[in-house]
Amino acid sequence: MLELSLLSLLLPVSCCLVYLFSDTGVISRGMAIFSITIMSFVGWTALILSHFAGGGFLGFESDLLMAFPQISRLPLVLVLFTVAIVGATGIFLLNYNRPIDAAVFASIFMAGGTFIFFHIPYISSTLFSLSGVLIIMYVISASHQMAFNDRLTNIPGRRALEMDMKHLGRKFTIAMLDVDHFKSFNDTYGHDTGDDVLKLVASRMTSVGGNAKVYRYGGEEFTILFKGKTAKDSKPYLDELREQIQDYQMVIRDESKRPANNKQGVKKRGAKNDQSTVSVTVSIGAATAKRLVSLKTYLKKQIKRFTAPKRKAVTKYSVRDSVILLD
């Protein structure tokens, strides 16, 4: 009973420890602290079991480890603890839906079910095997996300675009979005602010209508795909996107004026600040296509012509509703 109780307590805690360490490398400070913590759990468990075997904790099992055998052999307090931590990790999964959240939830859910219903034959082998399968699936999903998602903007990248282009059908619209004067903006405000601009544009693109799919093509260039729509059909959605981006007032933070500590930050938090703002403008070009042989050729020879307004320092939407056949 005591061994099962310790395991049901420490295993969920060990799984949740991954949230405390941002380092993802095997050879890192976070991994070292995590390993030391797990080893301390093992040592602490060994000491408790040896003390219990020597006659310690008299009356402990009947008082704190009270259980209802008709429901579970696990103590009631640990059943409630398991249900609570499964619920907490489930909320994390619903809110963030990251691979790490899914892996932690699957591990704790399956382990908790095993501990609570440990008296059922083959429950441990069944649930732990299922947990292993789910974790493998989540690892594959995470690998796919790392390979096809842009890490800065957290939207699909060019590789995902090339894959999706193979399954578009015979009619679609492809639009190219380009941030105006991005190089001069980067040089003026710094690369960190430039990254914030790209994140802003990407976040607004994810809300574009028309069942569109958005991608970061590279640098300050983004791609939008409308399956089964002409360029004229897509124009209202792109116009709305362009206006949303240019109407947003982005705050330019002056790093030299940042508070040196938390006390200064609290004092400045309620005070009026003189932070400068800037609006970001974009150029968008789109065209309808019925057959596409080379994405690279198409984007270079066709879409680039539609972003010509960028070179004239104005923000416009250009559209060519025509069939484009590439050799």
Side-chain angles (χ1 to χ4, degrees):
M1 175 70 73
L2 183 60
E3 294 89 341
L4 180 63
S5 300
L6 289 172
L7 189 60
S8 63
L9 172 66
L10 296 181
L11 193 145
V13 173
S14 302
C15 291
C16 292
L17 283 176
V18 297
Y19 290 117
L20 300 180
F21 308 107
S22 58
D23 297 330
T24 56
V26 176
I27 304 177
S28 63
R29 181 181 179 183
M31 187 63 182
I33 297 175
F34 179 78
S35 301
I36 293 173
T37 305
I38 297 299
M39 287 188 290
S40 66
F41 282 171
V42 174
W44 179 65
T45 302
L47 288 175
I48 289 181
L49 293 177
S50 61
H51 184 69
F52 181 77
F57 304 116
L58 293 177
F60 180 77
E61 184 174 357
S62 60
D63 295 336
L64 187 60
L65 299 184
M66 180 183 65
F68 296 93
Q70 62 272 23
I71 299 176
S72 173
R73 295 179 182 177
L74 195 67
L76 178 61
V77 63
L78 291 179
V79 172
L80 297 177
F81 166 77
T82 303
V83 172
I85 201 167
V86 167
T89 53
I91 292 174
F92 263 82
L93 177 60
L94 292 175
N95 287 341
Y96 301 104
N97 196 27
R98 298 171 300 184
I100 184 63
D101 301 320
V104 170
F105 172 76
S107 300
I108 295 178
F109 181 78
M110 296 298 176
T114 300
F115 299 144
I116 293 175
F117 303 106
F118 193 73
H119 57 283
I120 299 177
Y122 307 110
I123 188 68
S124 59
S125 58
T126 301
L127 290 185
F128 275 108
S129 298
L130 183 58
S131 177
V133 172
L134 290 176
I135 291 176
I136 292 174
M137 292 175 60
Y138 291 136
V139 169
I140 294 174
S141 175
S143 301
H144 180 275
Q145 183 177 1
M146 292 176 62
F148 289 92
N149 273 27
D150 179 66
R151 296 189 64 180
L152 176 64
T153 59
N154 201 31
I155 64 174
R158 186 188 301 189
R159 183 177 297 180
L161 171 63
E162 293 173 348
M163 291 291 293
D164 289 345
M165 293 292 288
K166 300 176 181 179
H167 310 285
L168 281 176
R170 299 185 61 84
K171 181 182 178 182
F172 59 91
T173 292
I174 182 170
M176 199 73 175
L177 182 149
D178 200 297
V179 180
D180 296 330
H181 315 296
F182 182 74
K183 186 179 184 303
S184 58
F185 191 96
N186 236 1
D187 295 339
T188 303
Y189 299 107
H191 292 285
D192 290 339
T193 304
D195 290 344
D196 291 338
V197 169
L198 297 177
K199 293 177 183 177
L200 166 65
V201 173
S203 66
R204 292 298 182 269
M205 289 179 64
T206 55
S207 61
V208 66
N211 294 322
K213 290 186 177 182
V214 299
Y215 310 84
R216 184 185 180 191
Y217 186 72
E220 70 273 23
E221 296 176 337
F222 298 84
T223 305
I224 309 172
L225 289 181
F226 294 91
K227 187 175 180 179
K229 286 183 172 60
T230 64
K232 286 184 178 180
D233 295 334
S234 308
K235 185 177 186 300
Y237 304 111
L238 296 175
D239 274 330
E240 182 181 1
L241 171 64
R242 178 180 55 80
E243 292 172 0
Q244 286 181 357
I245 294 174
Q246 72 179 17
D247 290 343
Y248 185 87
Q249 295 297 313
M250 180 177 173
V251 176
I252 304 299
R253 298 181 180 181
D254 189 349
E255 295 294 332
S256 62
K257 296 182 180 180
R258 289 182 64 86
N261 50 55
N262 291 335
K263 291 183 178 180
Q264 294 182 9
V266 171
K267 292 180 180 179
K268 290 186 176 182
R269 197 164 296 161
K272 184 178 180 180
N273 54 60
D274 55 350
Q275 291 178 323
S276 60
T277 60
V278 64
S279 60
V280 180
T281 60
V282 297
S283 298
I284 304 176
T288 304
K290 286 189 176 180
R291 181 172 66 87
L292 188 63
V293 176
S294 172
L295 170 65
K296 186 175 181 180
T297 303
Y298 179 78
L299 292 175
K300 284 190 174 182
K301 292 186 178 181
Q302 303 295 340
I303 293 297
K304 281 296 186 180
R305 297 183 303 167
F306 305 139
T307 55
K310 183 187 71 167
R311 295 188 291 272
K312 300 179 181 179
V314 296
T315 303
K316 291 182 179 179
Y317 170 89
S318 56
V319 58
R320 171 169 296 190
D321 191 15
S322 60
V323 178
I324 299 177
L325 299 178
L326 302 180
D327 295 333

